[in-house]
Amino acid sequence: MQPVRRSRQFTGTALTAVLLLLGSLTACAGDGKAFSLSAPEIFYAPVNGGKKVFPLRVDGPGSSTPGARRLTVDVEAGSEGAVRLRDDSANCRGGATHIVCEGPAARLIGLTTDAFATLAARGSKPGDSGYVRLTYVLTDGRKLTARTRVVVGEPVLELLTPAPDEGVRPGAEVTAPVVVRNAGDVPVRGLALVVNAGDLQFVQRYANCRYPELQHGSQAVCGFPDVRIAPGRSVTVRPGLRLRASRTTMYGSFDRMVWPLKAGPGPNQSFSEGGGHGDGPVLRAEATKTPSGTFTEAGDFVDVLLATGADYEVSGADLHGDPGDTRRIRLTVRNNGPGDPGSSTRLVFAPPTGTTVLKEPMTEIDDGEYEPYCDHDGATYTCDVRRLAPGTSRTFGFTLRLGGPATGGVRLEDKRPGPSGPRDRSGRHDPDASNDEAAVDVTG
């Protein structure tokens, strides 16, 4: 069976291929099993001659890649003024226009290879381009080929990161504008956008985004194959993304990633495959005047702060006994709600004067190996309360040897004590501070 090229059209079932940006060819075996060599449609080579990892992989039936005798990379005739090659592996050999890799360097298991470098030719300038052709020979002699356009220069995509939305009502809808700027030196053709809802939920699912089942509807993978962003220009995605804030998570966020669609995701950009498309409107990337504000390269986190607080309550103890007696106390912290401030709070326990702590909370650090959970500084123990959902509690147990009558105490404090404000991501904004401390008394 002759190799056939996979479709690159932006269709419903082909979005995975579009976002993986595979300029691949498929070789079929006699039993119907097929393997394919996948490479980006466009590869951007830095003007300064720096190396970028070339996204390349082999797909096929089963979980393992077939062995390879040889990987050959060729600069096509007429492209020598724009692109050159360099062998970066002991198993590769060749020069500026032709490289052959054999043995381990030719086993393309995974998403990328650094066995060779695809570089801008000396004397080239931003916007120059050429082509490389890759040939992968399997152990049985079958050949897989792919072709990639190499462009000198790079688009640098940045997201306008909004300031935290101060005082979002619990469970309210949040509209998130997406503005993308190209801060690079060459235009970008095609835009990929991934949104991870994080602590929020999608209200609207869009027709040109897919929602992978593995992420249970919390990730949107969107493609804009026809968009073009010139250097220094921006686009706005319309309509704005609609999400719903948590009803309890006080310091929520969602994250976004963008990259050139036809070049494939970068090493720190990932998404799940599969998933159906939304039934809502089509998102559009429209040219816009670049706004002022903070831009973040490649991806960002958008904070969503709820206009609510969390009433934490701590219990004390009244211990009766003679000097030398032992008593166990349970210091319980409860979140009465309505908010969940995350891991924002510490319990500080000051035992009564003359009392000796015999046992304290421990945590397992290895199989059968433990260490104290709380920090011990002088006469006080400081314990991380960690996250408490509204209506839940956590108890810290101590065993004490009593001294004479005395009074100690337990209190709650924010991990970053200080003035609270709407952008303070560390505090509980506790509506009732009267139950944030309690006495621990020893009486005869």
Side-chain angles (χ1 to χ4, degrees):
M1 179 176 178
Q2 293 296 318
V4 294
R5 183 173 292 276
R6 286 182 180 173
S7 171
R8 295 177 188 159
Q9 293 181 353
F10 185 76
T11 62
T13 58
L15 183 58
T16 298
V18 170
L19 288 174
L20 283 176
L21 316 162
L22 307 180
S24 64
L25 296 178
T26 303
C28 298
D31 59 3
K33 295 182 179 179
F35 295 96
S36 63
L37 176 64
S38 301
E41 183 176 335
I42 298 176
F43 180 82
Y44 293 101
V47 175
N48 62 9
K51 176 181 176 179
K52 288 173 54 181
V53 174
F54 194 95
L56 189 65
R57 79 179 192 185
V58 171
D59 293 305
S63 58
S64 62
T65 301
R69 280 203 294 250
R70 184 169 58 257
L71 168 67
T72 302
V73 188
D74 290 291
V75 176
E76 293 189 356
S79 300
E80 300 89 343
V83 58
R84 63 185 176 92
L85 304 175
R86 186 182 69 206
D87 62 283
D88 282 354
S89 169
N91 297 99
C92 297
R93 65 183 187 278
T97 60
H98 176 78
I99 285 179
V100 178
C101 299
E102 296 183 279
R107 298 184 183 274
L108 303 178
I109 299 175
L111 293 175
T112 60
T113 180
D114 59 1
F116 64 92
T118 305
L119 307 170
R122 293 181 177 86
S124 61
K125 59 184 184 300
D128 291 347
S129 66
Y131 288 88
V132 295
R133 182 171 293 275
L134 304 105
T135 304
Y136 189 74
V137 182
L138 305 181
T139 52
D140 60 6
R142 287 177 294 167
K143 292 183 178 181
L144 310 177
T145 62
R147 185 174 186 249
T148 293
R149 181 186 177 213
V150 179
V151 176
V152 177
E154 296 179 279
V156 177
L157 297 184
E158 300 176 331
L159 282 159
L160 177 64
T161 302
D165 199 340
E166 301 178 10
V168 175
R169 180 171 51 85
E173 185 174 315
V174 176
T175 301
V178 178
V179 179
V180 183
R181 178 175 70 182
N182 180 6
D185 47 22
V186 294
V188 62
R189 292 173 174 83
L191 173 67
L193 167 68
V194 172
V195 180
N196 293 298
D199 301 296
L200 289 76
Q201 295 180 329
F202 290 111
V203 173
Q204 179 75 70
R205 296 190 173 198
Y206 300 93
N208 55 332
C209 303
R210 57 181 179 83
Y211 298 83
E213 294 179 2
L214 185 64
Q215 303 299 328
H216 307 290
S218 66
Q219 184 180 73
V221 183
C222 313
F224 307 86
D226 299 323
V227 72
R228 182 182 185 277
I229 312 175
R233 302 288 185 173
S234 301
V235 297
T236 296
V237 174
R238 294 190 172 92
L241 300 179
R242 296 170 58 198
L243 300 100
R244 188 170 304 283
S246 169
R247 295 188 178 278
T248 58
T249 302
M250 293 170 56
Y251 307 113
S253 66
F254 61 94
D255 69 86
R256 311 173 300 176
M257 297 177 289
V258 289
W259 62 84
L261 180 66
K262 297 179 182 180
N268 297 319
Q269 298 161 324
S270 62
F271 55 88
S272 299
E273 299 183 23
H277 289 251
D279 56 3
V282 174
L283 290 175
R284 309 178 310 278
E286 301 177 348
T288 188
K289 182 179 179 180
T290 301
S292 59
T294 300
F295 281 84
T296 306
E297 183 178 342
D300 64 2
F301 286 86
V302 180
D303 294 326
V304 178
L305 314 184
L306 296 189
T308 189
D311 175 23
Y312 273 38
E313 177 182 2
V314 65
S315 64
D318 191 6
L319 306 175
H320 300 276
D322 296 324
D325 289 349
T326 60
R327 295 290 184 268
R328 178 170 173 79
I329 63 171
R330 294 168 58 85
L331 306 176
T332 299
V333 182
R334 177 180 172 81
N335 181 3
N336 296 321
D340 175 359
S343 181
S344 66
T345 304
R346 296 182 294 217
L347 174 144
V348 180
F349 171 45
T353 303
T355 299
T356 303
V357 175
L358 302 178
K359 292 183 179 179
E360 61 181 290
M362 305 291 286
T363 185
E364 188 171 17
I365 59 174
D366 203 350
D367 188 19
E369 185 177 350
Y370 295 83
E371 70 176 10
Y373 176 78
C374 305
D375 294 331
H376 182 203
D377 182 14
T380 62
Y381 293 80
T382 302
C383 313
D384 188 353
V385 176
R386 295 184 179 174
R387 186 166 198 163
L388 286 180
T392 63
S393 61
R394 181 165 190 181
T395 297
F396 300 89
F398 291 82
T399 299
L400 310 178
R401 179 186 294 120
L402 303 185
T407 296
V410 59
R411 71 178 190 276
L412 301 175
E413 66 178 24
D414 289 339
K415 288 184 178 179
R416 300 179 194 172
S420 293
R423 295 192 184 185
D424 175 17
R425 291 181 55 85
S426 62
R428 302 186 305 276
H429 298 274
D430 198 321
D432 181 9
S434 64
N435 53 12
D436 286 0
E437 59 183 51
V440 177
D441 292 322
V442 175
T443 58

